Amino acid sequence: MKLLDRYIVWNFSCSLLMWCGIFIGIYTLFDLLNNFDSFIGRVGFFETLSIIASYYFFHSFSFLDTLSPFLFLISAITLLKRMDQSNEIIALMASGVSRFRILIPLLLIALFFSLLFFTVREVVIPTHLVNVVKTPDAYFEGGEGVVVKQIRDMETRIRISGDKVFSAENRLHKPLFTLPPGFSAIESKITAEDAVYFESGKLRKGIPAGWLLMKVQEGDLLRSSSVKRPNSDQDLILTPKDYSDILALDQCFIVSRVPVELLAIGDQWVWYTSVFKLAEAANNPSLDFKKEDLQTRVHLRLLRPIIDLLPFFIFLPMIFFRNTKNITKEIGFCVFLTFVYMGLQYVCSYFGPKIDPFLAAWFPVLIFFPIAAVVFTELILTPKMINKTANIPAENTEKNRDKNYVKTDEKK
């Protein structure tokens, strides 16, 4: 790596960290003022500071993820603006360094951070999903359990509820399973002390995914035969009478494919879970999400590195390599267009699935990608040397100056 590359990579990294810190500070300040009553006066001073730090640490991940295209652009603008003010860009170009050579390390380090953000989005946030969406009250309650968000299994029509859910343990404390009307003549509600979720085949080979209820309080259900699905021979509620090899006398098993995290988070689950779980959810009949919306989110997640870097190819050449006189005005205009670009992504993701999930995710990229290709090609790859004082090519200016010298000599 050459000196120029190290200089640009280091300064861009510092600029990105600076802007991340600035926006996190602004977000924390305004949100803390809004939630001031939720934090103050509940526990000791130092414990309150610890809870505030934990709350905004986890919430900052989702906040920065939303602003990633703008953060990359404004960090690059800060770097190039500083280089322009110190005439470093002019000195580099005068020494034979091309515009494309100046942007190469900038684009590569931006790609690196875009992939880093992608990793955080797909690994770190899903791993700490409960902490990312926790309210201040949930932090003060203590413990890892959170209040259960009531969910209906759309495949079996069973409503799942309870006291608290522990996502790390796949455990539901004091569960309550409400059966649909006319489903079972034995019980309409099933309660227990605890319930543990097992993936398909984990409890025993051939057993689908579902909940193992322990210390079930409905004795008539435990003494009866297993309850089958309507119009099907498949068992939906497994009892000890038929499955004594895997179930104790106070246990039963209820088939369900509702993820545990969905009970802890609710509808926000689709915003923060990983792309692999979104793809699985698109084919899960137990979830009350439209398949088209989930498919659109999968495409948007996979396109995020491209979405983050497109403003680079459009706006950076327009600001610094277009021979403009008012760079500050150009910066403001391009930052505004970046917000328009980000807004178009959200509008298409909201309305587009009703038309076509693939088009909803790709439409903004299909619009801006040709523009980026033209701008980058015209201003970076094949730049034209323009005289700033007059809108005529520099070569013609030199020829006219030579002709004037010849005419002056003839007159003398």
Side-chain angles (χ1 to χ4, degrees), residues 212-227:
L212 176 63
L213 279 67
M214 294 170 285
K215 297 183 179 180
V216 180
Q217 300 177 5
E218 284 70 23
D220 294 339
L221 174 66
L222 298 177
R223 290 186 293 269
S224 63
S225 300
S226 300
V227 180

Side-chain angles (χ1 to χ4, degrees), residues 31-298:
D31 191 77
L32 186 59
L33 291 175
N34 187 42
N35 295 320
F36 189 78
D37 295 337
S38 301
F39 287 109
I40 302 301
R42 304 183 66 169
V43 292
F45 176 74
F46 292 103
E47 188 176 353
T48 300
L49 288 181
S50 176
I51 291 175
I52 291 175
S54 299
Y55 176 81
Y56 287 107
F57 173 76
F58 288 108
H59 281 68
S60 63
F61 285 113
S62 59
F63 175 71
L64 294 179
D65 176 63
T66 306
L67 294 178
S68 56
F70 174 75
L71 283 173
F72 294 150
L73 179 64
I74 197 66
S75 300
I77 288 176
T78 303
L79 169 61
L80 293 179
K81 177 69 174 176
R82 185 166 60 247
M83 293 178 65
D84 181 72
Q85 288 180 338
S86 59
N87 295 323
E88 294 178 8
I89 294 179
I90 296 176
L92 289 171
M93 295 178 65
S95 62
V97 179
S98 65
R99 301 173 178 182
F100 183 63
R101 180 64 184 84
I102 297 174
L103 289 182
I104 283 179
L106 191 58
L107 296 175
L108 291 178
I109 188 60
L111 176 61
F112 169 78
F113 278 108
S114 179
L115 295 177
L116 181 62
F117 272 57
F118 183 83
T119 304
V120 171
R121 188 183 305 117
E122 299 300 327
V123 178
V124 178
I125 293 179
T127 303
H128 303 279
L129 199 53
V130 175
N131 291 323
V132 171
V133 299
K134 258 187 179 181
T135 61
D137 294 332
Y139 274 89
F140 282 99
E141 290 174 1
E144 297 180 359
V146 295
V147 178
V148 177
K149 306 295 189 299
Q150 193 176 104
I151 298 293
R152 180 187 291 275
D153 189 321
M154 302 306 295
E155 184 180 19
T156 63
R157 312 303 298 176
I158 297 177
R159 185 175 295 278
I160 306 172
S161 182
D163 181 24
K164 284 190 175 183
V165 59
F166 299 82
S167 300
E169 306 172 9
N170 288 340
R171 182 167 63 91
L172 183 61
H173 182 59
K174 293 185 178 180
L176 171 62
F177 291 80
T178 305
L179 306 182
F183 184 79
S184 174
I186 302 173
E187 301 288 348
S188 60
K189 294 183 179 181
I190 303 175
T191 58
E193 185 66 26
D194 278 304
V196 179
Y197 186 79
F198 286 87
E199 297 289 345
S200 178
K202 293 294 184 179
L203 187 62
R204 194 188 71 181
K205 186 177 181 181
I207 302 296
W211 293 90
L212 176 63
L213 279 67
M214 294 170 285
K215 297 183 179 180
V216 180
Q217 300 177 5
E218 284 70 23
D220 294 339
L221 174 66
L222 298 177
R223 290 186 293 269
S224 63
S225 300
S226 300
V227 180
K228 298 184 179 297
R229 294 175 183 267
N231 303 321
S232 176
D233 294 333
Q234 185 179 5
D235 292 331
L236 181 60
I237 303 178
L238 284 59
T239 62
K241 184 177 181 180
D242 298 326
Y243 294 87
S244 58
D245 57 330
I246 57 174
L247 297 177
L249 295 177
D250 61 346
Q251 295 178 346
C252 72
F253 186 84
I254 299 179
V255 176
S256 176
R257 291 200 286 174
V258 175
V260 182
E261 294 174 342
L262 195 60
L263 294 171
I265 299 167
D267 293 340
Q268 290 181 304
W269 179 79
V270 298
W271 289 92
Y272 302 109
T273 191
S274 65
V275 67
F276 301 104
K277 292 187 177 181
L278 282 177
E280 293 176 358
N283 299 313
N284 190 344
S286 295
L287 303 183
D288 190 21
F289 298 115
K290 293 182 179 180
K291 184 177 181 180
E292 295 79 8
D293 293 338
L294 296 177
Q295 289 176 340
T296 301
R297 293 190 184 279
V298 170

